[in-house]
Amino acid sequence: MTTTHAAAATPAPAFVIDAGGDTSIGLTDIPLAAARAEADGADGVVVSETKHDPFVSLTLAAQNTERVQLFSGIAVAFARSPMTLAMQANDIQELSGGRLVLGLGSQVQQHIERRFSMPWSRPAARMRDFVLATKAIWHAWETSERLNYRGEFYTHTLMSPFFDPGPNPHGNAPIWVAAVGERMTETAGEVADGVVAHTFTTRRYLDEVTLPALRRGAATAGRADMPGVSLPAFVAMGRDEAEIRAAAFAVGKQIAFYGSTPAYLPVLELHGWAGVHEALNAASRRGEWQEMASIVTEEIVREFAVIGTPEQVATQLRARYDGVVSRLSFSTPYPVAPELWPRLYAALRS
């Protein structure tokens, strides 16, 4: 008599693992970086909008990969109109074979008005309108129904057949919205597929601020599903103690920079560290950028970051974010030895 045994089920990965997000990478380096991330085992590749247009970067990544999702983390919504954004995203979705994840962010008032020369007002309400307008444009292309979107900030009522690309053969891309404050997070819960949390986020802030706001937004829309959470986590990773110490110092400097900014004060306030913000903000106004890292204690660094070898980092990330974060990427403001990334991805899945 032959007995068959069911194969042990492979545990599902705790997170979708997104590589990339390096704001210093050159445009010509993106094809190789995206291909390497795919070969290393990442599930997605993140590109940001800092020195380069994210849709150019996504085009390069799409042409040099086959499997990974392509995540704009983030594209500045208010620097564009919903129509231009809808067309750019639709093109990347078609070019990549349906692998786009459209991450949008508001940026801050000074950049929108002074860098982009675009209007700014009530960012959460404007983002809601922007996302709904984008979806309405895609719907018109998908169904050939008359485009008739009339929102508070955006109006789109003209779509001639000559300019209509028709339905995307791969469907429309999911939209994720970047948020720190409660109102923008509620907007993400109402109209988006997920929220992109800021790097300057702790597990406590996720539990007490982000997730409740996301649930409120979903409830407002009557949604049965819970939108996802993407987190670019601070990681101080190295091959030995010297590399790990250097990485932790670099992460501490980045935490100090964010902590000096009033927009991120609520995160520190939640932990009772408002005085740390005041000291960092005063130091930044004096131009004491190098000295600011000494204000950030080891306790603060460990609250924001995970520290160690790739295997130790993976264990800490799973313990801290499993069941809370659905997409995980990594903020590493220091050079990382390339061989550490596949070790981290493998450890996160083990």
Side-chain angles (χ1 to χ4, degrees), residues 36-323:
R36 175 152 196 167
E38 184 170 73
D40 285 346
D43 302 307
V45 172
V46 179
V47 301
S48 59
E49 180 164 12
T50 52
K51 298 176 177 66
H52 304 290
D53 186 290
F55 296 103
V56 175
S57 300
L58 288 169
T59 299
L60 293 170
Q63 292 177 321
N64 290 274
T65 56
E66 298 178 353
R67 174 185 55 81
V68 290
Q69 293 183 321
L70 305 170
F71 198 163
S72 59
I74 51 82
V76 180
F78 300 161
R80 300 169 171 85
S81 79
M83 183 62 72
T84 58
L85 189 283
M87 182 170 289
Q88 288 173 309
N90 188 66
D91 285 348
I92 298 295
Q93 178 76 339
E94 182 172 350
L95 178 68
S96 66
R99 292 185 284 137
L100 175 65
V101 178
L102 181 58
L104 300 177
S106 63
Q107 248 294 351
V108 296
Q109 183 172 1
Q110 286 193 349
H111 281 266
I112 296 303
E113 292 182 337
R114 296 174 55 194
R115 182 156 69 99
F116 293 109
S117 190
M118 294 290 278
W120 172 274
S121 62
R122 298 170 54 216
R126 182 178 286 273
M127 182 62 78
R128 178 184 185 276
D129 201 21
F130 193 103
V131 172
L132 292 177
T134 302
K135 290 183 176 181
I137 293 165
W138 286 346
H139 180 76
W141 293 345
E142 187 175 26
T143 64
S144 297
E145 294 177 8
R146 180 170 178 253
L147 177 59
N148 187 29
Y149 183 81
R150 301 175 189 271
E152 184 177 1
F153 303 94
Y154 302 101
T155 300
H156 297 277
T157 59
L158 176 64
M159 179 49 57
S160 306
F162 186 75
F163 299 104
D164 184 344
N168 194 300
H170 308 287
N172 298 321
I175 298 177
W176 291 53
V177 169
V180 176
E182 294 184 64
R183 289 185 180 178
M184 189 66 80
T185 305
E186 288 175 1
T187 296
E190 183 182 355
V191 302
D193 295 280
V195 64
V196 183
H198 195 278
T199 303
F200 195 73
T201 298
T202 64
R203 171 61 192 268
R204 183 178 172 186
Y205 192 83
L206 286 173
D207 287 340
E208 297 185 25
V209 179
T210 302
L211 292 176
L214 200 61
R215 293 189 188 102
R216 289 195 300 272
T220 297
R223 298 176 60 171
D225 61 317
M226 180 64 176
V229 177
S230 172
L231 177 69
F234 273 126
V235 168
M237 184 170 62
R239 292 168 292 191
D240 52 40
E241 285 300 319
E243 284 191 357
I244 293 169
R245 281 196 303 271
F249 180 75
V251 168
K253 288 177 64 176
Q254 191 66 31
I255 291 171
F257 169 74
Y258 285 135
S260 70
T261 306
Y264 307 125
L265 172 59
V267 184
L268 292 174
E269 283 182 324
L270 183 67
H271 290 270
W273 294 329
V276 174
H277 164 76
E278 293 171 3
L280 289 170
N281 185 259
S284 70
R285 291 198 304 270
R286 294 191 298 267
E288 297 172 353
W289 301 105
Q290 298 302 317
E291 293 81 359
M292 285 166 58
S294 64
I295 300 173
V296 177
T297 65
E298 182 179 350
E299 177 191 9
I300 295 174
V301 172
R302 290 190 176 275
E303 194 68 38
F304 282 93
V306 295
I307 302 170
T309 64
E311 293 73 24
Q312 291 168 334
V313 163
T315 298
Q316 294 171 55
L317 287 170
R318 292 184 69 109
R320 187 175 295 188
Y321 298 120
D322 195 358

